[in-house]
Amino acid sequence: MATDVQSSDAQQVIDEEQYYHDAQLGALWTASRTLIPVVAATFGGIYFAYFYLRSLNSNGLWDPHGATASKIIGLSVLLLVLAGTAFQLMAGRRLRRGFSTDFIVGTASNVLFLVLATGLQIWELTRLPFPPAASGYAGVFIAFAPIDALVIGLSAYWAFTLMMRAIRSYSFYRADGGIGVSAHRAAENFRANLDGFGAYSIFFALMSVLSWYLFYVLH
């Protein structure tokens, strides 16, 4: 009888641990995907102002002098974001095959690209050929550029935390084939976080292409 009671208690503890683990995985999935509509809403407000002022074009003040932000810097920022996303996605695939070192190197490359993109976007604000209130385009761009730099910088921080966690746990999960294939619950949480970052990275890369087209090509 005592053995049955102990077995029942142990099973209950296991069930509770599994329940909290599943809840944590769900929370990670929801939080990472919720960030996508939050960022979309932030840039959506800027895009609305862009199209509204461009279509209104009161007294030709949308872009009267044709002075726009540097296309070279804008393209450089876009290419860095796209390159970082490509490296991150490839790194994630390598991690799923047990190559943790490849993941660390690929994620470090993504962090470097995103930090450079952040710096370029900030630097561009110091060399604009127009003051903030020079035109409708100028006003919208002044609102866009700092937010874009902030979001890129926060993306770099997210990638950096994933990289550091993989480095810290490298030896711990080596016997299980690496954090990308281990059945340990902490490893599953890490992969859930990584999947969320992957989905967000693809979304932000697509939005970066749209932003580049609007502010540096169409304008």
Side-chain angles (χ1 to χ4, degrees):
M1 179 65 71
T3 303
D4 293 340
V5 171
Q6 292 176 354
S7 177
S8 177
D9 291 342
Q11 184 62 40
Q12 183 177 2
V13 171
I14 294 175
D15 291 342
E16 289 181 356
E17 290 178 351
Q18 185 62 41
Y19 170 79
Y20 287 116
H21 174 61
D22 292 341
Q24 189 173 18
L25 288 177
L28 287 170
W29 191 96
T30 303
S32 59
R33 271 68 176 185
T34 300
L35 187 61
I36 293 177
V38 170
V39 174
T42 302
F43 281 89
I46 297 175
Y47 295 156
F48 174 80
Y50 177 96
F51 285 111
Y52 177 77
L53 293 176
R54 187 172 186 272
S55 62
L56 188 62
N57 195 21
S58 298
N59 298 321
L61 293 179
W62 166 249
D63 189 15
H65 306 294
T68 58
S70 172
K71 294 182 179 180
I72 296 177
I73 297 179
L75 181 61
S76 299
V77 171
L78 173 65
L79 292 178
L80 286 169
V81 171
L82 294 180
T85 301
F87 270 78
Q88 189 65 61
L89 294 178
M90 288 188 292
R93 291 182 179 179
R94 296 292 291 174
L95 183 71
R96 297 286 186 175
R97 298 177 182 177
F99 299 99
S100 299
T101 302
D102 293 355
F103 171 78
I104 293 171
V105 173
T107 305
S109 300
N110 184 26
V111 172
L112 176 62
F113 291 148
L114 292 177
V115 169
L116 290 175
T118 303
L120 281 177
Q121 190 69 83
I122 294 174
W123 181 58
E124 184 179 26
L125 288 170
T126 68
R127 46 177 292 113
L128 293 176
F130 48 76
S135 64
Y137 168 83
V140 177
F141 184 85
I142 291 296
F144 158 76
I147 293 177
D148 191 49
L150 176 62
V151 174
I152 296 175
L154 292 177
S155 300
Y157 175 75
W158 190 355
F160 179 76
T161 60
L162 290 171
M163 179 188 70
M164 293 306 299
R165 187 174 174 184
I167 293 174
R168 289 196 302 268
S169 61
Y170 184 84
S171 298
F172 182 80
Y173 294 108
R174 181 181 296 176
D176 293 339
I179 196 172
V181 296
S182 175
H184 195 279
R185 289 174 178 173
E188 291 183 358
N189 289 340
F190 174 84
R191 291 194 295 271
N193 191 2
L194 177 61
D195 289 343
F197 182 67
Y200 165 79
S201 297
I202 294 174
F203 158 77
F204 185 68
L206 294 175
M207 195 171 63
S208 296
V209 173
L210 175 60
S211 297
W212 169 78
Y213 178 74
L214 293 180
F215 288 101
Y216 298 96
V217 178
L218 180 63
H219 66 79

